[in-house]
Amino acid sequence: MKESDIAYIAGLFDGEGSVSYKQYMRKRKGAKKAYPTWQIRLEIAMTDESVLLWVTEVLGVGTMGPRKVRPGRKKQWRWRCSHRDAYFVCLLIWPFAHTKLPKIQQIIDHYSDKTKDNVVDLEYYKLTKKRMI
C-alpha cells in the first residue's frame, strides 16, 4: 500500500465518511434480556461508485454496495467495515486524519488493550482473510 493512497483515503474519509463508536443495550432474538453491545463501524457514502471500488480494492477490507435513497435523488454507494476491520483501517489512516481523529482514536484505544499480546500484522490479516473467502 502506498502512503499517498492511504493519505487520500484518510482525506476522503474525513470529508465523506462517518465513524460509529457506541455501546447500547440490545436484545437478541430469543433472549430473555438485553445485553451491552458495541457498534464499531466506519462508512463512506458518495455518488461516485468507482472511488469506493478503488477504496475497497486498496484496503482489502469492508463491503461496498448501493445505499437506499429517496426517489428522485441521485444513486449513492456506501463502503463500510466494522469491528476488527475498522480497527486496522483506523491504524492506517490515523496519521493523516483530522476531522474524525477523536473517534478514530477511541476505536484504536478500544482494541489496543485487547491486542497487546496478540498483535496481528495488517498484511498477514488481509492474506488470511482472503483465503477464508
Side-chain angles (χ1 to χ4, degrees), residues 50-122:
S50 65
V51 173
L52 292 180
L53 284 170
W54 176 81
V55 167
T56 306
E57 183 180 301
V58 169
L59 293 176
V61 295
T63 59
M64 198 205 98
R67 184 175 183 206
K68 290 183 181 179
V69 292
R70 287 188 235 151
R73 301 272 180 145
K74 194 171 181 181
K75 190 170 187 173
Q76 287 189 356
W77 299 91
R78 174 175 41 197
W79 169 88
R80 63 180 158 182
C81 68
S82 63
H83 302 286
R84 295 276 178 168
D85 288 344
Y87 169 64
F88 288 114
V89 172
C90 286
L91 289 176
L92 287 174
I93 66 174
W94 181 86
F96 306 102
H98 295 284
T99 308
K100 309 283 191 306
L101 191 57
K103 287 280 190 180
I104 288 171
Q105 188 64 54
Q106 284 180 324
I107 293 172
I108 291 171
D109 292 343
H110 178 85
Y111 282 107
S112 63
D113 291 340
K114 295 170 178 62
T115 58
K116 283 186 181 168
D117 297 329
N118 191 15
V119 177
V120 177
D121 178 50
L122 179 61

Side-chain angles (χ1 to χ4, degrees), residues 28-53:
R28 298 184 190 264
K29 188 177 180 179
K32 293 182 180 180
K33 65 178 193 173
Y35 292 94
T37 305
W38 280 101
Q39 181 183 32
I40 298 172
R41 184 183 308 147
L42 303 178
E43 292 187 6
I44 302 173
M46 59 191 322
T47 58
D48 192 345
E49 179 185 13
S50 65
V51 173
L52 292 180
L53 284 170

